[in-house]
Amino acid sequence: MRIPAAELVDVDTLRVDHENPNRMSSRQFKALKKSIQRWGFVVPIITNRDYLVADGEHRLRLRRIWA
């Protein structure tokens, strides 16, 4: 299987799966926020062809808060 090249897209293009069972406690979310503030966004947000987020929904939430 060929992995497509990474591309930059506007965050407003990205959609979240409201059925995603992955949840973070407020403590975990604060730790993620602190990590991103210190190191930046080092792990990309992964989507499918329709820009539905497969990995990185919490990082996207933080990005939208800071926008």
Side-chain angles (χ1 to χ4, degrees):
M1 182 167 93
R2 187 177 154 274
I3 298 173
E7 64 179 285
L8 294 176
V9 297
D10 188 303
V11 293
D12 292 332
T13 305
L14 303 177
R15 300 179 309 114
V16 295
D17 179 3
H18 296 289
E19 307 270 330
N20 182 353
N22 186 7
R23 301 286 179 253
M24 263 190 185
S25 67
S26 65
R27 182 179 177 183
Q28 291 169 316
F29 195 72
K30 286 177 187 175
L32 175 63
K33 180 179 177 181
K34 188 175 182 179
S35 173
I36 291 173
Q37 286 172 326
R38 181 173 184 180
W39 305 107
F41 283 87
V42 295
V43 179
I45 294 172
I46 308 298
T47 71
N48 65 11
R49 290 181 184 159
D50 299 321
Y51 299 107
L52 181 66
V53 174
D55 181 53
E57 188 172 324
H58 298 101
R59 284 171 278 158
L60 177 60
R61 273 183 51 206
L62 278 171
R63 174 60 181 90
R64 287 181 170 163
I65 289 169
W66 289 330

